[in-house]
Amino acid sequence: MEFTDINKNLPNGENMGGIVQKVYFGFWADVETWPTKPTNPADIEANGVLTGTVVMKAGKRMFEMYITDDTGEFNIESVGEVDGKSFVEHLTFFHPGLQKKILGFMNAAKNDNLFFIVTDAEGQMYLMGDSMRPAVYQGSPDGNGTGKETAARKGMSAEFTYKTPNVYVYAGTVPLTPAASV
Amino acid sequence: MWRKYFKLKGLVPGKVVVPVHGTIDFSGTVPVETCKELYEDDWPFLDITDEGKQVLYGIETQAKPPVKKPTRKRTSRNKTDKPE
């Protein structure tokens, strides 16, 4: 791989923060094939993107979840000692209300292996999960519940993490329809 | 219309999110131009039909040979019985 110059590169001057108002999720065990990490990439740009797409097992699909605006965040934390550096990706969000669906999601997600696709404000996507590791529930950074005052916001906050040796952009498809056996 | 030229493979017709194109619902109407772009980008869930090859790319597909109906072999009963 060759290094190249890294200039200020903000297409159309865009560099808005945050993530969009939905995240995509699924069970890690329902994935048939994962996109592949770069091997022997031509340049540093190719070293930052996954190749291929998530393909689900027959009859399985991904799902979307609404999140309240300005509550979602995708954060890349650098961890490890010298010569042992890696990353932990964090997804945090707030879903309004305490409806049965969101409670059922929490019940299912808290001790299971999931994966997520997160979209930033420019439409760039990040995949939390690979063939080796899932995204897992860490807790509720802003709590779950009704809130105290009537002016409070009822709902569920959640944080999921995914440990990865490298960080990549996901350029594949989000399958919101079940996979069919070919 | 798009179904004349393309067919979904590996997915039940429904919604997918594709970078650049956004959410596409393959259970309904999809612009042929969108399908064409996906096909040309080697999107793995779309195949082209013979009609699509012909109309969109001018590729003549080989006509399938007519299917022959299997002919039943006529067997005469009592073939070995020769009249006396």
Side-chain angles (χ1 to χ4, degrees):
Chain A
M1 185 190 71
E2 292 291 326
F3 271 143
T4 53
D5 296 328
I6 306 171
N7 303 315
K8 186 176 181 180
N9 178 22
L10 303 176
N12 303 316
E14 292 180 16
N15 194 26
M16 197 163 78
I19 63 175
V20 299
Q21 281 184 267
K22 60 178 80 165
V23 293
Y24 304 105
F25 65 95
F27 279 118
W28 181 74
D30 287 346
V31 177
E32 181 74 42
T33 57
W34 295 89
T36 54
K37 298 173 181 180
T39 51
N40 198 19
D43 53 34
I44 51 173
E45 194 164 314
N47 197 35
V49 62
L50 297 168
T51 303
T53 191
V54 167
V55 178
M56 304 297 286
K57 291 178 180 171
K60 304 297 182 183
R61 52 166 282 200
M62 290 193 76
F63 301 87
E64 65 180 37
M65 182 189 297
Y66 170 85
I67 63 174
T68 300
D69 198 18
D70 286 347
T71 66
E73 182 179 10
F74 175 71
N75 187 35
I76 303 167
E77 179 193 5
S78 174
V79 296
E81 299 175 55
V82 174
D83 288 346
K85 294 287 184 188
S86 61
F87 300 97
V88 179
E89 296 179 355
H90 300 254
L91 169 65
T92 52
F93 59 82
F94 181 87
H95 178 86
L98 289 173
Q99 311 301 337
K100 284 175 272 188
K101 274 186 185 175
I102 196 65
L103 297 179
F105 171 79
M106 282 172 64
N107 293 340
K110 69 183 187 302
N111 287 321
D112 214 324
N113 292 335
L114 305 185
F115 73 104
F116 287 85
I117 294 174
V118 184
T119 313
D120 72 15
E122 264 86 55
Q124 186 161 285
M125 297 194 288
Y126 309 90
L127 175 63
M128 293 176 67
D130 61 32
S131 62
M132 308 282 281
R133 282 185 173 277
V136 293
Y137 180 70
Q138 290 298 334
S140 305
D142 297 317
N144 300 316
T146 61
K148 196 177 284 179
E149 309 88 14
T150 52
R153 186 167 57 185
K154 183 167 69 175
M156 183 209 83
S157 70
E159 177 181 7
F160 290 86
T161 58
Y162 158 61
K163 296 173 183 171
T164 176
N166 286 324
V167 288
Y168 304 104
V169 164
Y170 176 65
T173 298
V174 182
L176 297 175
T177 183
S181 41
V182 182
Chain B
M1 178 70 170
W2 70 273
R3 288 189 181 87
K4 282 172 68 180
Y5 303 143
F6 296 97
K7 56 189 171 190
L8 211 55
K9 67 173 177 185
L11 290 175
V12 174
K15 285 183 184 175
V16 292
V17 181
V18 186
V20 180
H21 297 280
T23 304
I24 305 171
D25 188 351
F26 281 97
S27 64
T29 305
V30 181
V32 172
E33 201 54 42
T34 301
C35 294
K36 203 175 164 201
E37 284 174 22
L38 289 171
Y39 175 72
E40 290 174 0
D41 286 344
D42 293 326
W43 195 59
F45 302 108
L46 207 60
D47 252 350
I48 194 163
T49 63
D50 286 346
E51 193 173 354
K53 282 180 192 170
Q54 198 173 344
V55 173
L56 301 174
Y57 297 99
I59 300 168
E60 290 296 328
T61 53
Q62 274 194 329
K64 288 179 184 172
V67 180
K68 280 186 178 177
K69 283 185 180 176
T71 50
R72 182 179 280 181
K73 207 172 182 181
R74 289 184 69 184
T75 52
S76 58
R77 290 178 191 171
N78 306 325
K79 198 175 180 181
T80 51
D81 298 342
K82 289 180 181 175
E84 290 184 7

